[in-house]
């Protein structure tokens, strides 16, 4: 008698398990000694590092032996965002939070959003079977108009409507009134507004612009702590939603990957809010000087108004953007060339780190320009 467990099944050409993957989202990040990463827009500030160093020095390794206790940090976050604890869902970074939303509502088949946008939305759309329904910025100004999202939304079935404020490519900030008008339109349509506030801490008065949205049944806010508290490596974020929506997310067990160490780092950061508020204020001041100094060093570069911890410059052409980015990389400074994105025919985005790094970037760009870029 043949043991069927030892018989190899014939390969079938039509099998869904035999197709090739693009491997598009594989993490290939590397850390190069002395290289400064101004592409990812992390919070590169020694004061933030000092807070985290203190947390790590005091962290009890026994806490790794057990699952994290989340109730205390939920209480702190409820106070920070002005909502009930039942409105909050902790996740291991904002990516899982956004992914949860698309998986929790499988009936929804499209995602209406401005483009360019966070690359992860394409990934979440593929996972959930949604179709991206992108809306480009105004071709004349390169600016986004939330009314364009409303018009696109009304042309189809209920959808996830995505707004990032400040916008992660350009730094554009949306005010309270236009957000409220979009939220009303989304509610009327039976859709869900997803507001990504990764960079909002760097916008003066930013929390006031989204405060009226908190707790609405048809609005979800996703807030990573990677940028505002310098916790990119810890991977922790919170989703703020109506309790009825939050319950759908909890059905998918979102808290499982959240680690004790990430919780400890976040709790300490929340207790040190004054330290971070000072950092955010300094970034805002430095951001304005950075924009102006680069414009003086490199004629023809024009900074866009930004509410994030970065500045995006429109530059004369794609060749200049590529050459400047290459020159900075040769100097150990990594930036993001945005050229070719919708509304950004030729542009470079550079994070605001600290005074020393800003001086280094401005000097390097000035050398590049004087060396023949003109």
């Amino acid at each position: 008698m043949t043991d069927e467990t030892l018989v190899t099944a014939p390969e079938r050409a039509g099998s869904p398990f035999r197709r090739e993957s693009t491997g598009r989202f594989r993490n290939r990040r590397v850390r190069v000694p002395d290289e400064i990463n101004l592409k990812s827009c992390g919070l590169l500030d020694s004061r933030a590092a000092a807070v985290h160093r203190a947390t790590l020095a005091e962290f009890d390794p026994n806490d790794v032996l057990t699952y994290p206790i989340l109730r205390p940090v939920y209480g702190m976050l409820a106070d920070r965002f002005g909502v009930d604890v039942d409105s909050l869902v902790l996740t291991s970074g904002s990516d899982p939070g956004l992914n949860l939303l698309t998986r929790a509502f499988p009936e929804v088949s499209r995602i209406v959003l401005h483009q360019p946008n966070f690359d992860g939305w394409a990934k979440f759309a593929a996972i959930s079977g949604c179709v991206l329904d992108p809306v480009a910025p105004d071709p004349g100004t390169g600016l986004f108009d939330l009314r364009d999202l409303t018009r696109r939304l009304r042309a189809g079935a209920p959808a996830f409507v995505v707004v990032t404020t400040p916008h992660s490519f350009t730094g554009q900030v949306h005010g309270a009134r236009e957000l409220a008008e979009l939220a009303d339109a989304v509610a009327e349509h039976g859709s869900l507004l997803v507001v990504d506030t990764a960079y909002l801490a760097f916008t003066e008065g930013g929390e006031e612009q989204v405060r009226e949205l908190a707790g609405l049944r048809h609005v979800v806010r996703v807030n990573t702590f990677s940028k505002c508290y310098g916790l990119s490596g810890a991977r922790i974020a919170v989703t703020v939603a109506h309790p009825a929506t939050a319950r759908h997310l909890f059905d998918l067990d979102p808290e499982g990957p959240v680690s004790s160490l990430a919780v400890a780092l976040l709790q300490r950061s929340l207790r040190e809010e004054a330290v971070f508020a000072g950092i955010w204020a300094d970034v805002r001041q430095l951001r304005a000087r950075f924009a102006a100094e680069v414009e003086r060093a490199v004629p023809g570069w024009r900074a866009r108004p930004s509410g994030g911890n970065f500045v995006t410059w429109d530059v004369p052409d794609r060749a200049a953007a590529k050459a400047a980015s290459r020159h900075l990389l040769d100097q150990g400074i990594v930036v993001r060339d945005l050229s070719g994105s919708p509304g950004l025919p030729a542009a470079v985005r550079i994070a605001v780190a600290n005074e020393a790094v800003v001086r280094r970037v401005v000097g390097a760009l000035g050398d590049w320009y004087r060396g023949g870029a003109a």
Side-chain angles (χ1 to χ4, degrees):
M1 182 175 180
T2 303
D3 185 349
E4 294 183 351
T5 63
L6 300 179
V7 176
T8 303
E11 293 186 2
R12 296 182 181 275
S15 170
F17 302 104
R18 303 298 299 173
R19 60 188 174 87
E20 291 296 320
S21 167
T22 62
R24 176 181 174 188
F25 292 103
R26 181 163 185 160
N27 185 337
R28 293 183 172 88
R29 298 187 185 98
V30 296
R31 178 173 285 116
V32 178
D34 300 322
E35 188 174 79
I36 302 173
N37 182 356
L38 302 181
K39 179 180 180 180
S40 301
C41 298
L43 189 67
L44 305 183
D45 190 285
S46 60
R47 291 166 289 181
V51 171
H52 302 329
R53 189 176 298 112
T55 304
L56 296 172
E58 299 171 5
F59 184 73
D60 185 350
N62 286 313
D63 287 340
V64 179
L65 305 180
T66 60
Y67 295 110
I69 304 300
L70 301 181
R71 182 163 295 277
V73 74
Y74 269 126
M76 298 173 76
L77 290 171
D79 291 340
R80 187 187 191 281
F81 291 108
V83 297
D84 188 83
V85 169
D86 290 340
S87 295
L88 302 173
V89 183
L90 275 174
T91 58
S92 57
S94 61
D95 291 47
L98 299 173
N99 187 18
L100 277 171
L101 286 168
T102 58
R103 290 169 51 216
F105 299 97
E107 307 91 338
V108 181
S109 61
R110 66 180 179 135
I111 302 172
V112 177
L113 76 173
H114 280 138
Q115 287 281 49
N117 216 307
F118 175 44
D119 291 341
W121 281 111
K123 174 174 61 179
F124 310 139
I127 291 170
S128 62
C130 284
V131 174
L132 290 181
D133 196 352
V135 178
D138 183 282
T141 64
L143 296 177
F144 299 104
D145 190 332
L146 298 189
R147 292 172 295 184
D148 292 339
L149 293 180
T150 298
R151 285 189 283 269
R152 182 62 60 82
L153 173 66
R154 288 172 173 163
F160 298 103
V161 182
V162 177
V163 172
T164 305
T165 184
H167 190 264
S168 56
F169 279 59
T170 67
Q172 181 179 344
V173 177
H174 296 291
R177 182 173 179 178
E178 56 181 333
L179 286 169
E181 290 175 351
L182 176 61
D184 289 343
V186 168
E188 180 183 347
H189 191 265
S191 293
L192 187 73
L193 175 61
V194 182
V195 184
D196 186 340
T197 56
Y199 296 97
L200 193 62
F202 304 104
T203 301
E204 188 169 7
E207 284 296 324
E208 295 305 314
Q209 294 169 0
V210 299
R211 189 168 299 279
E212 295 304 313
L213 302 179
L216 297 180
R217 180 67 184 262
H218 54 284
V219 177
V220 171
R221 174 181 178 180
V222 178
N223 195 97
T224 180
F225 298 109
S226 295
K227 315 301 181 184
C228 58
Y229 290 131
L231 292 173
S232 296
R235 311 308 303 136
I236 189 162
V238 70
T239 298
V240 186
H242 187 277
T245 302
R247 284 194 290 273
H248 283 286
L249 304 187
F250 277 115
D251 287 343
L252 300 174
D253 189 24
E255 299 171 332
V258 177
S259 72
S260 297
L261 183 54
V263 170
L265 289 162
L266 177 56
Q267 284 181 292
R268 180 65 168 262
S269 298
L270 291 168
R271 289 197 296 268
E272 299 287 353
E273 186 82 3
V275 173
F276 287 96
I279 296 172
W280 304 332
D282 289 347
V283 167
R284 290 193 287 268
Q285 293 182 353
L286 186 56
R287 181 179 64 206
R289 297 207 310 274
F290 189 25
E293 289 177 15
V294 168
E295 287 185 346
R296 285 194 292 269
V298 192
W301 284 39
R302 294 291 176 265
R304 294 189 176 219
S306 174
N309 65 334
F310 59 85
V311 180
T312 296
W313 287 268
D314 291 302
V315 305
D317 53 58
R318 296 182 70 167
K322 182 178 180 179
S325 300
R326 180 72 245 184
H327 178 79
L328 290 173
L329 183 60
D330 291 342
Q331 306 301 309
I333 303 167
V334 185
V335 301
R336 183 159 187 176
D337 182 352
L338 298 173
S339 302
S341 301
L344 296 163
V348 176
R349 189 190 72 180
I350 308 177
V352 179
N354 53 56
E355 291 274 2
V357 171
V358 162
R359 286 196 298 270
R360 181 173 167 181
V361 172
V362 172
L365 285 173
D367 291 343
W368 167 74
Y369 181 78
R370 290 188 296 271

